[in-house]
Every structure is written in C-alpha cells, then in structure tokens.
Amino acid sequence: ISKRMPIPKAHYGGRHTVSLLPGAGIGPELMKYVKEVFVFAGVPVDFEDIDINPNADNDDDLDYAIASIRRNGVALKGNIETRSTEAEVKSRNVALRNELDLYVNVLHCVSYPGVTSRQKNIDIVIIRQNTEGEYAMLEHESVDGVVESMKIVTRPNSERIARYAFEYAKRNGRKKVTTVHKANIMKLSDGLFLEISRDVAKEYPDIQHNDMIIDNTCMQLVSNPHQFDVVLTTNLYGSIVSNVCCGLLGGAGLLSGKNYGDHYTVFEPGTRNTGGKIAGKNIANPVAMLNAAVDMLRHLGHKHHALIIQNAINKTINAGIHTRDLGGTATSREVIDSILKHIKIQSN
Ligand code: ADP
Ligand code: MG
C-alpha cells in the first residue's frame, strides 16, 4: 500500500468499529459514560476495548493497541499512565502517537457561555506538532551528572504542520496564524520551525501571519487572549499553551483534542490528564471525553448523532449543571443524567 492511500475506517453493516483505550485514572469511568450515552442515543458505533498495562515490562499491549487502531482507523483514548521515570520506560502515549504518525494535534478552545471563567468569548485554535520536538524521548547521561536531551525539529514535519495550520485557517474562515516559538534562544531548532512557517505563510496571502515567543504568548494569552486566532507551535510549547487556554475557559474537564495523521485519528480530552486523585469518586467532569466522542462521530460522518449529543452537553453546561472543577456541586452521574434527559427531549 502506498503511503498516501487512505486507510478505510472499519465499517460493517452501517456500523463503525473504533478502538477504545480507557487508560488510567478517570479514563475507565469516563468511557463507561460515553458508552452509556451512545447506547441511549442509538449511535451506530461499536467499541473494541483495549487495556494497556502501564507497568508491563514489554510493549505487547502497546503493539496490540496500535494494531487495533490500524485496523479500525479511529480511536477514543484516555491517558495511559507512565509512572516510571526510568529512561528505558517510554511514555506509551508518546510512542502511540509516533508509531501512528499522528503529527497534528488540534485543540479548539471555545468558551461556554454558561461557565464562569477568567476570560469570555475565547475562540482560539491551537495546532501543535505532535510527534517530535522536545518529545523525541532521546535522553541520556553522557557522563555522570550531565544529562543531554535531544529536541528534534525536521523540515518535513515542520512543513506539514505549518501547511496543516494554514489550510485549517483557510478552510475554516480564520484570519490569522501565529507561530509560537523560542527562536531567540533555540536559534537552530525553533529557528527552522519559524523559518518554514514563514515560507508556508507566503503561499497564503489572504491569511495574516505573525510570530510570538512562547513566554510572551503565555502572558498575552492570560491578559489579552482575543488577539489570537490560530496558534501554530512545536510539541512542548503546544502542551503549555493548550493547558493555559483550557485553564482560561474552565479547566481540564471541558475541551477535547484531536490527533491526526494521514491515515489514523485519535480523539481524547484536550489536556490529556490522568486525574488519578479524583478517580472513582463520581466527581470527574465527563464533558471533555464526551466532547472527544462527539468529535469522533463527526469524523465518522454520524452528523445527526453528533449534533444531538452536542446539544445535550451544551444545554447541560449552560443550565449550570457543573461538576466541582467548574465550581459546581453536581456529580459526574448528575451531569450524565442531564445529558441523557436532553437527548431524550430531542428524540421525541
Ligand atoms: P496529569 O495526568 O497530567 O498528572 P492530573 O491527573 O494531575 O494531570 O490532572 C491535572 C488536574 O486536572 C488535576 O487537578 C485533575 O483533578 C484535573 N482534572 C483532569 N481531568 C479532569 C476532569 N475530567 N474533571 C475534573 N478535573 C479534572
Ligand atoms: Mg497524573
């Protein structure tokens, strides 16, 4: 099969099969809610459940998960915990993205009118290089007490992420792309990323382009976020900027993130947290994972079901049925019950 051939999504008798990776912490309980909502709404999607043992001393589980995603084309995922700080134990999350070449992470940060937050009416799209940069996982202690960590920036990956950002802007009627970097210090690596984004920008004369240092970006995001439209950045800065944005508009429990490559797509909560401390207490916000599930339905072409569930989520949030992370008192269960109620109202 040529590298460019699209891999078909698993699709039997009008139903889709997708890989489900619950991960650790609150992942499994959030996946139960997704399944419950899907069954209630009559969504024609079946799940292939895949558990990854984070403490396994081999990669069999990970290989199995990757084979499943290759077969189905699409996955919904919680965070896989990598507790070990041993250099040989690689992050399974990073390994999975790299193996599947999921080179784009897209986080659409839009405010919910019903959520009290530090900033109102935010609408920023963060497009993050998802497979290299500071996440190359190439660290070693060259001599005792001296650790070297390699940050990898390549022309092909910088170019395709820049192109993705500008194409995204064009397709979605966006006006401006801001490249976020630290090229004043990392002159070669971030310098290349910035240079390539400037080159690609020239091909899109209708879209404004500027750039900003990561430190200043964090300050500007907090004080004046409305100046941002599409943000294009490297892996680690993308993680930081994503977390700042999520914090600005309501925290870790709301937004979903998408991981794209040329062949496969993985949907997950935007901030990729494990939520170990709040697991099993009926207090986790189920919305971020449900939003990820809705993104997945849109991707699969199940527009009708996506819309019904999306409306039910929005009605619930905007009616003030909030878990603790949003300053409310509702349990996860109460949020789900409200969402089910709103699905039922729309189906009548
Ligand atoms: P990490 O997995 O990156 O270590 P944590 O699990 O510590 O992150 O999560 C960061 C913070 O976000 C914690 O305070 C956690 O309780 C909170 N959090 C993450 N996901 C949710 C959620 N779905 N609902 C409520 N709080 C959440
Ligand atoms: Mg954690």
Side-chain angles (χ1 to χ4, degrees), residues 14-49:
R15 298 180 70 84
H16 279 103
T17 300
V18 305
S19 307
L20 190 81
L21 285 72
I26 53 177
E29 64 198 70
L30 300 184
M31 293 307 189
K32 272 192 205 139
Y33 297 133
V34 169
K35 286 182 174 173
E36 185 180 344
V37 168
F38 274 24
V39 168
F40 192 83
V43 174
V45 164
D46 299 308
F47 291 109
E48 184 182 349
D49 292 277

PDB file of all heavy atoms in Angstrom, residues 14-49:
ATOM      1  N   GLY A  14     -23.242  -0.750   8.148  1.00  0.00           N
ATOM      2  CA  GLY A  14     -23.666   0.584   8.569  1.00  0.00           C
ATOM      3  C   GLY A  14     -23.142   1.007   9.927  1.00  0.00           C
ATOM      4  O   GLY A  14     -23.396   2.112  10.369  1.00  0.00           O
ATOM      5  N   ARG A  15     -22.431   0.109  10.621  1.00  0.00           N
ATOM      6  CA  ARG A  15     -21.892   0.479  11.938  1.00  0.00           C
ATOM      7  C   ARG A  15     -20.380   0.635  11.834  1.00  0.00           C
ATOM      8  O   ARG A  15     -19.737  -0.028  11.043  1.00  0.00           O
ATOM      9  CB  ARG A  15     -22.214  -0.616  12.974  1.00  0.00           C
ATOM     10  CG  ARG A  15     -23.706  -0.816  13.190  1.00  0.00           C
ATOM     11  CD  ARG A  15     -23.956  -1.903  14.223  1.00  0.00           C
ATOM     12  NE  ARG A  15     -23.580  -1.502  15.561  1.00  0.00           N
ATOM     13  CZ  ARG A  15     -24.368  -0.796  16.376  1.00  0.00           C
ATOM     14  NH1 ARG A  15     -25.562  -0.413  15.972  1.00  0.00           N
ATOM     15  NH2 ARG A  15     -23.966  -0.484  17.592  1.00  0.00           N
ATOM     16  N   HIS A  16     -19.844   1.514  12.658  1.00  0.00           N
ATOM     17  CA  HIS A  16     -18.398   1.655  12.730  1.00  0.00           C
ATOM     18  C   HIS A  16     -17.857   0.941  13.960  1.00  0.00           C
ATOM     19  O   HIS A  16     -18.515   0.884  15.000  1.00  0.00           O
ATOM     20  CB  HIS A  16     -18.000   3.130  12.831  1.00  0.00           C
ATOM     21  CG  HIS A  16     -17.999   3.841  11.518  1.00  0.00           C
ATOM     22  ND1 HIS A  16     -19.009   4.699  11.133  1.00  0.00           N
ATOM     23  CD2 HIS A  16     -17.107   3.814  10.502  1.00  0.00           C
ATOM     24  CE1 HIS A  16     -18.725   5.178   9.936  1.00  0.00           C
ATOM     25  NE2 HIS A  16     -17.578   4.653   9.526  1.00  0.00           N
ATOM     26  N   THR A  17     -16.660   0.414  13.827  1.00  0.00           N
ATOM     27  CA  THR A  17     -15.956  -0.111  14.994  1.00  0.00           C
ATOM     28  C   THR A  17     -14.772   0.794  15.264  1.00  0.00           C
ATOM     29  O   THR A  17     -14.016   1.113  14.347  1.00  0.00           O
ATOM     30  CB  THR A  17     -15.466  -1.550  14.735  1.00  0.00           C
ATOM     31  OG1 THR A  17     -16.601  -2.367  14.467  1.00  0.00           O
ATOM     32  CG2 THR A  17     -14.733  -2.095  15.956  1.00  0.00           C
ATOM     33  N   VAL A  18     -14.631   1.236  16.511  1.00  0.00           N
ATOM     34  CA  VAL A  18     -13.486   2.070  16.862  1.00  0.00           C
ATOM     35  C   VAL A  18     -12.763   1.469  18.063  1.00  0.00           C
ATOM     36  O   VAL A  18     -13.359   0.782  18.881  1.00  0.00           O
ATOM     37  CB  VAL A  18     -13.892   3.531  17.162  1.00  0.00           C
ATOM     38  CG1 VAL A  18     -14.660   4.139  16.013  1.00  0.00           C
ATOM     39  CG2 VAL A  18     -14.694   3.623  18.431  1.00  0.00           C
ATOM     40  N   SER A  19     -11.460   1.728  18.128  1.00  0.00           N
ATOM     41  CA  SER A  19     -10.669   1.241  19.261  1.00  0.00           C
ATOM     42  C   SER A  19     -10.922   2.148  20.457  1.00  0.00           C
ATOM     43  O   SER A  19     -10.940   3.373  20.326  1.00  0.00           O
ATOM     44  CB  SER A  19      -9.183   1.269  18.921  1.00  0.00           C
ATOM     45  OG  SER A  19      -8.962   0.572  17.710  1.00  0.00           O
ATOM     46  N   LEU A  20     -11.101   1.547  21.625  1.00  0.00           N
ATOM     47  CA  LEU A  20     -11.361   2.304  22.852  1.00  0.00           C
ATOM     48  C   LEU A  20     -10.240   2.014  23.843  1.00  0.00           C
ATOM     49  O   LEU A  20     -10.093   0.890  24.315  1.00  0.00           O
ATOM     50  CB  LEU A  20     -12.701   1.881  23.444  1.00  0.00           C
ATOM     51  CG  LEU A  20     -13.203   2.756  24.581  1.00  0.00           C
ATOM     52  CD1 LEU A  20     -13.854   4.009  24.018  1.00  0.00           C
ATOM     53  CD2 LEU A  20     -14.215   2.012  25.438  1.00  0.00           C
ATOM     54  N   LEU A  21      -9.458   3.046  24.144  1.00  0.00           N
ATOM     55  CA  LEU A  21      -8.349   2.891  25.095  1.00  0.00           C
ATOM     56  C   LEU A  21      -8.661   3.717  26.336  1.00  0.00           C
ATOM     57  O   LEU A  21      -8.401   4.925  26.358  1.00  0.00           O
ATOM     58  CB  LEU A  21      -7.039   3.388  24.472  1.00  0.00           C
ATOM     59  CG  LEU A  21      -6.353   2.529  23.415  1.00  0.00           C
ATOM     60  CD1 LEU A  21      -7.099   2.527  22.100  1.00  0.00           C
ATOM     61  CD2 LEU A  21      -4.928   3.021  23.189  1.00  0.00           C
ATOM     62  N   PRO A  22      -9.215   3.093  27.377  1.00  0.00           N
ATOM     63  CA  PRO A  22      -9.651   3.871  28.540  1.00  0.00           C
ATOM     64  C   PRO A  22      -8.489   4.539  29.280  1.00  0.00           C
ATOM     65  O   PRO A  22      -8.649   5.617  29.837  1.00  0.00           O
ATOM     66  CB  PRO A  22     -10.323   2.840  29.444  1.00  0.00           C
ATOM     67  CG  PRO A  22     -10.530   1.635  28.596  1.00  0.00           C
ATOM     68  CD  PRO A  22      -9.506   1.665  27.524  1.00  0.00           C
ATOM     69  N   GLY A  23      -7.316   3.899  29.304  1.00  0.00           N
ATOM     70  CA  GLY A  23      -6.192   4.471  30.040  1.00  0.00           C
ATOM     71  C   GLY A  23      -6.393   4.347  31.536  1.00  0.00           C
ATOM     72  O   GLY A  23      -7.191   3.534  32.007  1.00  0.00           O
ATOM     73  N   ALA A  24      -5.705   5.219  32.293  1.00  0.00           N
ATOM     74  CA  ALA A  24      -5.709   5.106  33.759  1.00  0.00           C
ATOM     75  C   ALA A  24      -6.588   6.184  34.394  1.00  0.00           C
ATOM     76  O   ALA A  24      -7.236   6.958  33.697  1.00  0.00           O
ATOM     77  CB  ALA A  24      -4.277   5.229  34.252  1.00  0.00           C
ATOM     78  N   GLY A  25      -6.589   6.230  35.732  1.00  0.00           N
ATOM     79  CA  GLY A  25      -7.282   7.291  36.476  1.00  0.00           C
ATOM     80  C   GLY A  25      -8.771   7.323  36.169  1.00  0.00           C
ATOM     81  O   GLY A  25      -9.463   6.313  36.281  1.00  0.00           O
ATOM     82  N   ILE A  26      -9.246   8.487  35.736  1.00  0.00           N
ATOM     83  CA  ILE A  26     -10.669   8.643  35.454  1.00  0.00           C
ATOM     84  C   ILE A  26     -11.049   8.091  34.073  1.00  0.00           C
ATOM     85  O   ILE A  26     -12.240   8.032  33.748  1.00  0.00           O
ATOM     86  CB  ILE A  26     -11.111  10.131  35.531  1.00  0.00           C
ATOM     87  CG1 ILE A  26     -10.220  11.014  34.631  1.00  0.00           C
ATOM     88  CG2 ILE A  26     -11.061  10.624  36.967  1.00  0.00           C
ATOM     89  CD1 ILE A  26     -10.624  12.469  34.596  1.00  0.00           C
ATOM     90  N   GLY A  27     -10.055   7.675  33.269  1.00  0.00           N
ATOM     91  CA  GLY A  27     -10.344   7.186  31.923  1.00  0.00           C
ATOM     92  C   GLY A  27     -11.457   6.149  31.868  1.00  0.00           C
ATOM     93  O   GLY A  27     -12.442   6.317  31.139  1.00  0.00           O
ATOM     94  N   PRO A  28     -11.330   5.038  32.646  1.00  0.00           N
ATOM     95  CA  PRO A  28     -12.355   3.988  32.554  1.00  0.00           C
ATOM     96  C   PRO A  28     -13.765   4.459  32.897  1.00  0.00           C
ATOM     97  O   PRO A  28     -14.723   4.098  32.214  1.00  0.00           O
ATOM     98  CB  PRO A  28     -11.855   2.944  33.565  1.00  0.00           C
ATOM     99  CG  PRO A  28     -10.378   3.159  33.630  1.00  0.00           C
ATOM    100  CD  PRO A  28     -10.170   4.644  33.463  1.00  0.00           C
ATOM    101  N   GLU A  29     -13.925   5.290  33.943  1.00  0.00           N
ATOM    102  CA  GLU A  29     -15.290   5.730  34.273  1.00  0.00           C
ATOM    103  C   GLU A  29     -15.850   6.652  33.184  1.00  0.00           C
ATOM    104  O   GLU A  29     -17.035   6.575  32.841  1.00  0.00           O
ATOM    105  CB  GLU A  29     -15.365   6.364  35.682  1.00  0.00           C
ATOM    106  CG  GLU A  29     -14.561   7.641  35.858  1.00  0.00           C
ATOM    107  CD  GLU A  29     -14.290   7.993  37.338  1.00  0.00           C
ATOM    108  OE1 GLU A  29     -13.514   7.284  37.992  1.00  0.00           O
ATOM    109  OE2 GLU A  29     -14.862   8.985  37.827  1.00  0.00           O
ATOM    110  N   LEU A  30     -14.967   7.488  32.598  1.00  0.00           N
ATOM    111  CA  LEU A  30     -15.447   8.381  31.534  1.00  0.00           C
ATOM    112  C   LEU A  30     -15.888   7.576  30.308  1.00  0.00           C
ATOM    113  O   LEU A  30     -16.882   7.912  29.658  1.00  0.00           O
ATOM    114  CB  LEU A  30     -14.355   9.391  31.146  1.00  0.00           C
ATOM    115  CG  LEU A  30     -13.872  10.321  32.269  1.00  0.00           C
ATOM    116  CD1 LEU A  30     -12.873  11.338  31.723  1.00  0.00           C
ATOM    117  CD2 LEU A  30     -15.036  11.058  32.932  1.00  0.00           C
ATOM    118  N   MET A  31     -15.151   6.490  30.011  1.00  0.00           N
ATOM    119  CA  MET A  31     -15.524   5.646  28.865  1.00  0.00           C
ATOM    120  C   MET A  31     -16.865   4.960  29.106  1.00  0.00           C
ATOM    121  O   MET A  31     -17.648   4.765  28.166  1.00  0.00           O
ATOM    122  CB  MET A  31     -14.460   4.593  28.598  1.00  0.00           C
ATOM    123  CG  MET A  31     -13.148   5.155  28.115  1.00  0.00           C
ATOM    124  SD  MET A  31     -13.312   6.242  26.692  1.00  0.00           S
ATOM    125  CE  MET A  31     -11.584   6.471  26.275  1.00  0.00           C
ATOM    126  N   LYS A  32     -17.140   4.584  30.365  1.00  0.00           N
ATOM    127  CA  LYS A  32     -18.452   3.979  30.659  1.00  0.00           C
ATOM    128  C   LYS A  32     -19.577   4.961  30.342  1.00  0.00           C
ATOM    129  O   LYS A  32     -20.626   4.582  29.810  1.00  0.00           O
ATOM    130  CB  LYS A  32     -18.525   3.574  32.138  1.00  0.00           C
ATOM    131  CG  LYS A  32     -18.007   2.178  32.375  1.00  0.00           C
ATOM    132  CD  LYS A  32     -18.356   1.681  33.775  1.00  0.00           C
ATOM    133  CE  LYS A  32     -17.335   0.624  34.171  1.00  0.00           C
ATOM    134  NZ  LYS A  32     -16.898   0.747  35.566  1.00  0.00           N
ATOM    135  N   TYR A  33     -19.349   6.234  30.682  1.00  0.00           N
ATOM    136  CA  TYR A  33     -20.375   7.242  30.373  1.00  0.00           C
ATOM    137  C   TYR A  33     -20.549   7.400  28.861  1.00  0.00           C
ATOM    138  O   TYR A  33     -21.673   7.524  28.379  1.00  0.00           O
ATOM    139  CB  TYR A  33     -20.008   8.594  31.000  1.00  0.00           C
ATOM    140  CG  TYR A  33     -19.961   8.570  32.510  1.00  0.00           C
ATOM    141  CD1 TYR A  33     -18.890   9.134  33.207  1.00  0.00           C
ATOM    142  CD2 TYR A  33     -20.991   7.993  33.248  1.00  0.00           C
ATOM    143  CE1 TYR A  33     -18.846   9.122  34.589  1.00  0.00           C
ATOM    144  CE2 TYR A  33     -20.952   7.969  34.628  1.00  0.00           C
ATOM    145  CZ  TYR A  33     -19.876   8.528  35.302  1.00  0.00           C
ATOM    146  OH  TYR A  33     -19.828   8.513  36.661  1.00  0.00           O
ATOM    147  N   VAL A  34     -19.427   7.410  28.150  1.00  0.00           N
ATOM    148  CA  VAL A  34     -19.522   7.535  26.686  1.00  0.00           C
ATOM    149  C   VAL A  34     -20.364   6.384  26.129  1.00  0.00           C
ATOM    150  O   VAL A  34     -21.281   6.593  25.323  1.00  0.00           O
ATOM    151  CB  VAL A  34     -18.118   7.538  26.021  1.00  0.00           C
ATOM    152  CG1 VAL A  34     -18.232   7.384  24.508  1.00  0.00           C
ATOM    153  CG2 VAL A  34     -17.365   8.822  26.365  1.00  0.00           C
ATOM    154  N   LYS A  35     -20.069   5.174  26.593  1.00  0.00           N
ATOM    155  CA  LYS A  35     -20.819   4.010  26.088  1.00  0.00           C
ATOM    156  C   LYS A  35     -22.298   4.133  26.430  1.00  0.00           C
ATOM    157  O   LYS A  35     -23.162   3.847  25.593  1.00  0.00           O
ATOM    158  CB  LYS A  35     -20.264   2.725  26.708  1.00  0.00           C
ATOM    159  CG  LYS A  35     -18.931   2.307  26.123  1.00  0.00           C
ATOM    160  CD  LYS A  35     -18.474   1.006  26.757  1.00  0.00           C
ATOM    161  CE  LYS A  35     -17.203   0.490  26.077  1.00  0.00           C
ATOM    162  NZ  LYS A  35     -16.645  -0.674  26.781  1.00  0.00           N
ATOM    163  N   GLU A  36     -22.583   4.575  27.658  1.00  0.00           N
ATOM    164  CA  GLU A  36     -23.973   4.712  28.087  1.00  0.00           C
ATOM    165  C   GLU A  36     -24.706   5.735  27.214  1.00  0.00           C
ATOM    166  O   GLU A  36     -25.827   5.480  26.741  1.00  0.00           O
ATOM    167  CB  GLU A  36     -23.987   5.140  29.561  1.00  0.00           C
ATOM    168  CG  GLU A  36     -25.386   5.203  30.151  1.00  0.00           C
ATOM    169  CD  GLU A  36     -25.376   5.634  31.621  1.00  0.00           C
ATOM    170  OE1 GLU A  36     -24.307   5.601  32.269  1.00  0.00           O
ATOM    171  OE2 GLU A  36     -26.468   6.005  32.103  1.00  0.00           O
ATOM    172  N   VAL A  37     -24.060   6.865  26.968  1.00  0.00           N
ATOM    173  CA  VAL A  37     -24.675   7.914  26.146  1.00  0.00           C
ATOM    174  C   VAL A  37     -24.875   7.406  24.711  1.00  0.00           C
ATOM    175  O   VAL A  37     -25.924   7.633  24.100  1.00  0.00           O
ATOM    176  CB  VAL A  37     -23.809   9.204  26.175  1.00  0.00           C
ATOM    177  CG1 VAL A  37     -24.254  10.194  25.108  1.00  0.00           C
ATOM    178  CG2 VAL A  37     -23.870   9.841  27.559  1.00  0.00           C
ATOM    179  N   PHE A  38     -23.891   6.692  24.182  1.00  0.00           N
ATOM    180  CA  PHE A  38     -24.001   6.172  22.806  1.00  0.00           C
ATOM    181  C   PHE A  38     -25.158   5.181  22.688  1.00  0.00           C
ATOM    182  O   PHE A  38     -25.928   5.231  21.726  1.00  0.00           O
ATOM    183  CB  PHE A  38     -22.689   5.503  22.375  1.00  0.00           C
ATOM    184  CG  PHE A  38     -21.666   6.456  21.788  1.00  0.00           C
ATOM    185  CD1 PHE A  38     -21.690   7.813  22.088  1.00  0.00           C
ATOM    186  CD2 PHE A  38     -20.667   5.995  20.931  1.00  0.00           C
ATOM    187  CE1 PHE A  38     -20.754   8.692  21.550  1.00  0.00           C
ATOM    188  CE2 PHE A  38     -19.733   6.862  20.371  1.00  0.00           C
ATOM    189  CZ  PHE A  38     -19.767   8.208  20.691  1.00  0.00           C
ATOM    190  N   VAL A  39     -25.270   4.282  23.642  1.00  0.00           N
ATOM    191  CA  VAL A  39     -26.355   3.290  23.593  1.00  0.00           C
ATOM    192  C   VAL A  39     -27.695   4.007  23.685  1.00  0.00           C
ATOM    193  O   VAL A  39     -28.623   3.752  22.911  1.00  0.00           O
ATOM    194  CB  VAL A  39     -26.202   2.242  24.733  1.00  0.00           C
ATOM    195  CG1 VAL A  39     -27.463   1.405  24.870  1.00  0.00           C
ATOM    196  CG2 VAL A  39     -24.984   1.359  24.466  1.00  0.00           C
ATOM    197  N   PHE A  40     -27.783   4.967  24.619  1.00  0.00           N
ATOM    198  CA  PHE A  40     -29.037   5.704  24.830  1.00  0.00           C
ATOM    199  C   PHE A  40     -29.449   6.452  23.566  1.00  0.00           C
ATOM    200  O   PHE A  40     -30.630   6.491  23.206  1.00  0.00           O
ATOM    201  CB  PHE A  40     -28.861   6.678  25.998  1.00  0.00           C
ATOM    202  CG  PHE A  40     -30.143   7.279  26.479  1.00  0.00           C
ATOM    203  CD1 PHE A  40     -30.960   6.606  27.368  1.00  0.00           C
ATOM    204  CD2 PHE A  40     -30.546   8.534  26.024  1.00  0.00           C
ATOM    205  CE1 PHE A  40     -32.157   7.166  27.808  1.00  0.00           C
ATOM    206  CE2 PHE A  40     -31.736   9.093  26.448  1.00  0.00           C
ATOM    207  CZ  PHE A  40     -32.545   8.406  27.352  1.00  0.00           C
ATOM    208  N   ALA A  41     -28.463   7.046  22.880  1.00  0.00           N
ATOM    209  CA  ALA A  41     -28.760   7.842  21.682  1.00  0.00           C
ATOM    210  C   ALA A  41     -28.848   6.986  20.418  1.00  0.00           C
ATOM    211  O   ALA A  41     -29.104   7.496  19.336  1.00  0.00           O
ATOM    212  CB  ALA A  41     -27.703   8.932  21.507  1.00  0.00           C
ATOM    213  N   GLY A  42     -28.604   5.677  20.565  1.00  0.00           N
ATOM    214  CA  GLY A  42     -28.682   4.788  19.400  1.00  0.00           C
ATOM    215  C   GLY A  42     -27.577   5.020  18.388  1.00  0.00           C
ATOM    216  O   GLY A  42     -27.788   4.909  17.172  1.00  0.00           O
ATOM    217  N   VAL A  43     -26.393   5.340  18.858  1.00  0.00           N
ATOM    218  CA  VAL A  43     -25.275   5.614  17.955  1.00  0.00           C
ATOM    219  C   VAL A  43     -24.768   4.305  17.330  1.00  0.00           C
ATOM    220  O   VAL A  43     -24.498   3.353  18.051  1.00  0.00           O
ATOM    221  CB  VAL A  43     -24.116   6.294  18.733  1.00  0.00           C
ATOM    222  CG1 VAL A  43     -22.895   6.446  17.849  1.00  0.00           C
ATOM    223  CG2 VAL A  43     -24.555   7.649  19.272  1.00  0.00           C
ATOM    224  N   PRO A  44     -24.632   4.269  16.008  1.00  0.00           N
ATOM    225  CA  PRO A  44     -24.197   3.023  15.358  1.00  0.00           C
ATOM    226  C   PRO A  44     -22.676   2.825  15.388  1.00  0.00           C
ATOM    227  O   PRO A  44     -22.024   2.751  14.359  1.00  0.00           O
ATOM    228  CB  PRO A  44     -24.701   3.185  13.920  1.00  0.00           C
ATOM    229  CG  PRO A  44     -24.721   4.649  13.697  1.00  0.00           C
ATOM    230  CD  PRO A  44     -24.981   5.310  15.016  1.00  0.00           C
ATOM    231  N   VAL A  45     -22.124   2.779  16.605  1.00  0.00           N
ATOM    232  CA  VAL A  45     -20.681   2.593  16.768  1.00  0.00           C
ATOM    233  C   VAL A  45     -20.439   1.479  17.781  1.00  0.00           C
ATOM    234  O   VAL A  45     -21.083   1.438  18.827  1.00  0.00           O
ATOM    235  CB  VAL A  45     -20.013   3.904  17.247  1.00  0.00           C
ATOM    236  CG1 VAL A  45     -18.610   3.648  17.786  1.00  0.00           C
ATOM    237  CG2 VAL A  45     -19.956   4.930  16.116  1.00  0.00           C
ATOM    238  N   ASP A  46     -19.541   0.566  17.445  1.00  0.00           N
ATOM    239  CA  ASP A  46     -19.134  -0.487  18.378  1.00  0.00           C
ATOM    240  C   ASP A  46     -17.697  -0.227  18.810  1.00  0.00           C
ATOM    241  O   ASP A  46     -16.899   0.276  18.038  1.00  0.00           O
ATOM    242  CB  ASP A  46     -19.233  -1.861  17.701  1.00  0.00           C
ATOM    243  CG  ASP A  46     -20.664  -2.157  17.272  1.00  0.00           C
ATOM    244  OD1 ASP A  46     -21.565  -2.041  18.128  1.00  0.00           O
ATOM    245  OD2 ASP A  46     -20.880  -2.460  16.080  1.00  0.00           O
ATOM    246  N   PHE A  47     -17.415  -0.600  20.048  1.00  0.00           N
ATOM    247  CA  PHE A  47     -16.069  -0.360  20.582  1.00  0.00           C
ATOM    248  C   PHE A  47     -15.280  -1.644  20.701  1.00  0.00           C
ATOM    249  O   PHE A  47     -15.807  -2.675  21.103  1.00  0.00           O
ATOM    250  CB  PHE A  47     -16.160   0.295  21.967  1.00  0.00           C
ATOM    251  CG  PHE A  47     -16.673   1.700  21.932  1.00  0.00           C
ATOM    252  CD1 PHE A  47     -17.940   2.010  22.424  1.00  0.00           C
ATOM    253  CD2 PHE A  47     -15.904   2.723  21.402  1.00  0.00           C
ATOM    254  CE1 PHE A  47     -18.417   3.311  22.401  1.00  0.00           C
ATOM    255  CE2 PHE A  47     -16.371   4.028  21.373  1.00  0.00           C
ATOM    256  CZ  PHE A  47     -17.624   4.317  21.867  1.00  0.00           C
ATOM    257  N   GLU A  48     -14.008  -1.549  20.376  1.00  0.00           N
ATOM    258  CA  GLU A  48     -13.077  -2.635  20.670  1.00  0.00           C
ATOM    259  C   GLU A  48     -12.254  -2.172  21.877  1.00  0.00           C
ATOM    260  O   GLU A  48     -11.429  -1.258  21.763  1.00  0.00           O
ATOM    261  CB  GLU A  48     -12.172  -2.887  19.452  1.00  0.00           C
ATOM    262  CG  GLU A  48     -11.242  -4.053  19.650  1.00  0.00           C
ATOM    263  CD  GLU A  48     -10.306  -4.268  18.440  1.00  0.00           C
ATOM    264  OE1 GLU A  48     -10.508  -3.662  17.372  1.00  0.00           O
ATOM    265  OE2 GLU A  48      -9.371  -5.061  18.610  1.00  0.00           O
ATOM    266  N   ASP A  49     -12.526  -2.741  23.039  1.00  0.00           N
ATOM    267  CA  ASP A  49     -11.872  -2.290  24.274  1.00  0.00           C
ATOM    268  C   ASP A  49     -10.433  -2.779  24.348  1.00  0.00           C
ATOM    269  O   ASP A  49     -10.168  -3.956  24.161  1.00  0.00           O
ATOM    270  CB  ASP A  49     -12.627  -2.831  25.494  1.00  0.00           C
ATOM    271  CG  ASP A  49     -13.993  -2.207  25.623  1.00  0.00           C
ATOM    272  OD1 ASP A  49     -14.066  -1.101  26.170  1.00  0.00           O
ATOM    273  OD2 ASP A  49     -14.977  -2.820  25.144  1.00  0.00           O
TER     274      ASP A  49
END
